[in-house]
Amino acid sequence: MADYTLDVRGMSCRGCEQTIRSELAGLSGIGDAEADADAGEVRVYGDPATEALARQTVLDAGYDLAE
């Protein structure tokens, strides 16, 4: 397993962190995710091939991603 970091915009509280973690936890190929609202980052642990799916899941949850 590897990890990658997503720069997330609009994540402003612990509830946002939990929402993103919960959404990502249900995806095949992702073992865990750590969200940090203060840093605006989500670290995803899993198959690197899941990055596109993880990015779309964050967008579908109502957050924006930095390019």
Side-chain angles (χ1 to χ4, degrees):
M1 265 199 202
D3 67 296
Y4 51 90
T5 302
L6 304 177
D7 294 320
V8 180
R9 305 290 181 243
M11 184 173 51
S12 60
C13 65
R14 302 299 170 236
C16 295
E17 292 173 350
Q18 180 59 40
T19 296
I20 290 175
R21 281 195 315 266
S22 295
E23 292 291 324
L24 292 173
L27 299 177
S28 178
I30 293 180
D32 195 14
E34 296 175 2
D36 183 340
D38 294 331
E41 295 180 342
V42 176
R43 178 159 293 211
V44 181
Y45 300 91
D47 185 338
T50 63
E51 185 171 353
L53 178 58
R55 292 176 67 81
Q56 187 60 52
T57 299
V58 169
L59 292 171
D60 290 347
Y63 300 94
D64 292 320
L65 295 168
E67 295 304 319

